[in-house]
Amino acid sequence: MATRNFSDYDRTKVPNAENMCFGIVVSDSNPEVTEALLEGAVSTLEGYEALPENIHVKHVPGTFELIYGARQMTLNDGYDAVIALGAVIRGETPSFDCTCHGLSTGFAQLNATSSVPVIFGILTTNTLQQALDRAGGKLGNKGEECAVNAIKMAKF
């Protein structure tokens, strides 16, 4: 479990993103969480001078579909980095474990084979409150961290 604020980072070590183009794929599942992550990511990219017209957002119906959406963005759209945003919240069945394993495996494979960095911005939490704490709550906004990572990896 994260105990630090996701929004705490050294802002002086983040490159300017003015000439960069970003794709963001966001899950429509758990929208109270994912929309907050999206807002954090977009506002952070713009805060580092990314032009609004160079930030393209696409939605997928579920969290597992983020892998396909991110892959399509790496293949077709000329992005410097792609950010995948979602939330998987533990329920009463083992699907949580299967979904989390599939997501981490899929994104690891995507990053190992793609020429475009893909940032893993998927919260995996036990409760909705834990997800909200990481999507603009007391632990900051994971979307902001993902945007900073996308800028740094695009510059890499």
Side-chain angles (χ1 to χ4, degrees), residues 46-115:
E46 290 176 348
Y48 286 98
E49 308 304 325
L51 302 174
E53 59 267 24
N54 288 339
I55 303 169
H56 304 136
V57 177
K58 295 185 181 180
H59 290 261
V60 295
T63 307
F64 209 79
E65 291 78 15
L66 288 167
I67 300 167
Y68 178 84
R71 182 172 187 275
Q72 293 306 306
M73 288 182 131
T74 66
L75 293 175
N76 300 320
D77 297 318
Y79 297 114
D80 295 299
V82 173
I83 302 169
L85 299 173
V88 182
I89 301 169
R90 186 179 298 279
E92 296 178 5
T93 68
S95 66
F96 175 86
D97 297 318
C98 295
T99 300
C100 293
H101 176 74
L103 287 166
S104 61
T105 301
F107 277 102
Q109 181 180 11
L110 182 57
N111 267 308
T113 59
S114 174
S115 61

Side-chain angles (χ1 to χ4, degrees), residues 120-133:
F120 186 83
I122 301 165
L123 299 175
T124 56
T125 63
N126 289 318
T127 66
L128 174 60
Q129 187 57 55
Q130 288 174 341
L132 293 170
D133 287 347

